[in-house]
Amino acid sequence: QSALTQPASVSGSPGQSITISCTGTSSDVGGYDYVSWYQQHPGKAPKLMIYDVNNRPSGVSDRFSGSKSGNTASLTISGLQAEDEADYYCSSYTSSNTLGVVFGGGTKLTVL
Amino acid sequence: EVQLLESGGALVQPGGSLRLSCAASGFSFTFYAMSWVRQAPGKGLEWVSAISGSGDSTYYADSVRGRFTISRDNSKNTLYLQMNSLRAEDTAIYYCAKDPSHLGLNYLDVWGRGTTVTVSS
């Protein structure tokens, strides 16, 4: 159950778009459409932003979108806003070794 | 309103035990799988364990298998995590989270606020 690989940090100016990548293997990201993304503000619990690769829960802005190609999933945030500044984590179902869930190391998004 | 409220976090010595609880409300608890996710100070999220809605199936991260036991009491709408042989590296905020599937290992759509476990002598 090795962690998925995310960039440690990304940044963008208000109004711009950014993309956060999440790289795994064929036993997790590449093998299943069970990738999800979470937003976490400092001192707060994580919040689900994207599930099953590209689905948004009710109430999540359509500025957030997800995609996947091979073993890499991506989260794109368009029209960056100050309140988007947070940590973002990807997650996937995994069948590596034993069945379970694996998270990425997290990406700190800074809105300049 | 769907709510999850964790409790039971404490300061415990290495080698000790602790049981965390998560009280659920606002949804049909027995229908849904549940998970525990932890976050060490200044670190990222780490999935710990999951249990199906019926409690028949359980899953563990390699880092806790054999030391932690997940369980649930559907009559009390409560999820548990029994933690034994605790180590310093188990120090973290432990979150309880709801899975929208019955079997588990899906995404987590509702999270509690967390309870803090500190393992130190």
Side-chain angles (χ1 to χ4, degrees):
Chain A
Q1 295 169 344
S2 300
L4 306 175
T5 301
Q6 297 181 233
S9 63
V10 298
S11 62
S13 300
Q16 288 186 332
S17 295
I18 63 94
T19 297
I20 299 172
S21 62
C22 169
T23 302
T25 69
S26 58
S27 296
D28 39 65
V29 174
Y32 310 93
D33 287 338
Y34 296 141
V35 176
S36 52
W37 290 88
Y38 303 88
Q39 176 192 65
Q40 187 180 35
H41 287 109
K44 300 294 187 181
K47 175 187 176 183
L48 177 68
M49 304 302 285
I50 295 287
Y51 66 94
D52 294 350
V53 177
N54 57 11
N55 293 280
R56 273 188 316 275
S58 173
V60 171
S61 171
D62 60 5
R63 297 186 298 105
F64 291 81
S65 62
S67 63
K68 190 185 83 167
S69 177
N71 294 338
T72 298
S74 298
L75 173 71
T76 297
I77 309 174
S78 59
L80 269 180
Q81 299 179 1
E83 59 261 37
D84 298 333
E85 184 163 298
D87 294 324
Y88 291 85
Y89 296 90
C90 62
S91 178
S92 174
Y93 170 86
T94 179
S95 59
S96 172
N97 241 10
T98 56
L99 300 182
V101 172
V102 61
F103 279 93
T107 298
K108 169 66 177 176
L109 168 62
T110 300
V111 180
L112 302 170
Chain B
E1 181 189 4
V2 175
Q3 283 193 331
L4 299 171
L5 184 61
E6 303 92 337
S7 61
L11 171 64
V12 61
Q13 292 189 339
S17 297
L18 204 57
R19 188 177 83 156
L20 305 183
S21 299
C22 172
S25 60
F27 64 100
S28 298
F29 183 69
T30 190
F31 287 175
Y32 300 101
M34 299 291 294
S35 281
W36 288 99
V37 176
R38 69 184 180 184
Q39 187 169 35
K43 302 298 184 181
L45 302 176
E46 179 188 14
W47 174 78
V48 173
S49 183
I51 186 168
S52 62
S54 63
D56 290 345
S57 298
T58 58
Y59 311 90
Y60 298 94
D62 291 342
S63 57
V64 306
R65 186 175 293 109
R67 300 188 299 122
F68 290 11
T69 301
I70 191 171
S71 63
R72 62 192 296 160
D73 185 336
N74 285 344
S75 68
K76 296 182 178 179
N77 288 353
T78 302
L79 174 72
Y80 302 101
L81 185 68
Q82 177 67 44
M83 304 186 295
N84 299 331
S85 303
L86 282 162
R87 306 166 179 168
E89 53 264 36
D90 295 319
T91 294
I93 297 172
Y94 284 73
Y95 294 101
C96 159
K98 171 183 166 289
D99 181 320
S101 73
H102 183 74
L103 295 179
L105 303 184
N106 209 322
Y107 58 91
L108 302 171
D109 59 354
V110 180
W111 295 65
R113 293 186 177 184
T115 188
T116 299
V117 173
T118 303
V119 184
S120 175
S121 54

